[in-house]
Amino acid sequence: MKYRINFSSLDAIKANCNINDKGCWNWKLSMRTDKSKTPRAYYPGTGYIYRVAWQLQNETSIPNGKVAMHSCNDSTCVNPDHITLGTIAKNNADAARDGLTHRKLTD
């Protein structure tokens, strides 16, 4: 029998993080590496934890067409105060501006 953690509260999520001096809640459990080779805070059966944390804090789902963006640029951070919603285009533009992409995005 596999052990599952119930992430139904922010306290349960925060308990599985290391807090850094910038206020990031750095996830210390499982990670998933996406096609950009960036590790993302992930838990099997639950999904991306930063999305779960944002939804718990805001008591709503992330709307269709929106993505969860890290204002701290730390993909392992799950602090909902560091997550904003935006479009894929906005997220890509922010990544390009901050030097987090290997390709140049144009207007």
Side-chain angles (χ1 to χ4, degrees), residues 10-69:
L10 288 175
D11 288 336
I13 290 173
K14 193 173 182 180
N16 291 285
C17 297
N18 294 316
I19 313 300
N20 72 17
D21 58 346
K22 295 179 183 176
C24 292
W25 301 0
N26 295 114
W27 187 246
K28 59 185 181 183
L29 297 182
S30 57
M31 295 286 181
R32 175 175 276 181
T33 303
D34 64 15
K35 60 187 170 191
S36 70
K37 307 294 185 230
T38 304
R40 305 268 183 220
Y42 183 82
Y43 194 77
T46 301
Y48 291 107
I49 300 301
Y50 59 95
R51 293 174 58 89
V52 174
W54 186 91
Q55 291 174 101
L56 284 169
Q57 178 164 294
N58 292 282
E59 299 179 347
T60 190
S61 298
I62 295 174
N64 288 336
K66 296 291 183 179
V67 296
M69 306 185 315

Side-chain angles (χ1 to χ4, degrees), residues 50-100:
Y50 59 95
R51 293 174 58 89
V52 174
W54 186 91
Q55 291 174 101
L56 284 169
Q57 178 164 294
N58 292 282
E59 299 179 347
T60 190
S61 298
I62 295 174
N64 288 336
K66 296 291 183 179
V67 296
M69 306 185 315
H70 289 87
S71 61
C72 58
N73 290 333
D74 184 341
S75 65
T76 67
C77 178
V78 299
N79 182 342
D81 291 333
H82 292 190
I83 305 299
T84 59
L85 297 185
T87 63
I88 291 172
K90 171 73 170 133
N91 199 30
N92 289 341
D94 287 355
R97 179 199 66 217
D98 297 338
L100 301 174

